[in-house]
Amino acid sequence: MSGRPVKHSLTLRGHRTSVSLEEEFWRAFRDLARKEGLALNELAARIDAERDPDVGLASSIRVRILRDLQEEREKPASDT
């Protein structure tokens, strides 16, 4: 784990932007997009539209990943 942010370009509603996330967050972000059945750009656009304008997109993505992981952890274990 390097911990150094990696910059990738995303397209949000037709506009290119760069986002820097640690590689572990990029993997988790891709997994979350797959889980939700969305393209990475589409998930990023949704997060961007919902975020507080005073909070950066990269931070908003990290928080969204964290919330998803917390929700998964809080789900009751299956009896099957």
Side-chain angles (χ1 to χ4, degrees):
M1 173 168 70
S2 72
R4 299 192 74 174
V6 178
K7 187 180 288 191
H8 289 280
S9 293
L10 297 171
T11 302
L12 308 179
R13 295 174 301 281
H15 296 88
R16 299 287 283 171
T17 190
S18 294
V19 176
S20 294
L21 295 171
E22 296 75 12
E23 190 57 44
E24 294 82 1
F25 278 104
W26 279 116
R27 281 195 296 273
F29 190 36
R30 288 184 196 101
D31 290 344
L32 180 59
R34 257 190 307 277
K35 176 182 159 188
E36 295 193 8
L38 300 171
L40 195 64
N41 287 329
E42 186 176 358
L43 179 56
R46 287 184 182 189
I47 292 169
D48 186 51
E50 296 169 358
R51 72 182 170 92
D52 181 324
D54 294 329
V55 177
L57 180 57
S59 294
S60 297
I61 290 171
R62 287 184 189 95
V63 169
R64 176 66 172 80
I65 291 165
L66 176 61
R67 286 183 181 156
D68 181 69
L69 292 171
Q70 289 172 328
E71 288 172 10
E72 284 296 316
R73 189 181 65 214
E74 292 172 4
K75 284 183 182 176
S78 175
D79 293 343
T80 46

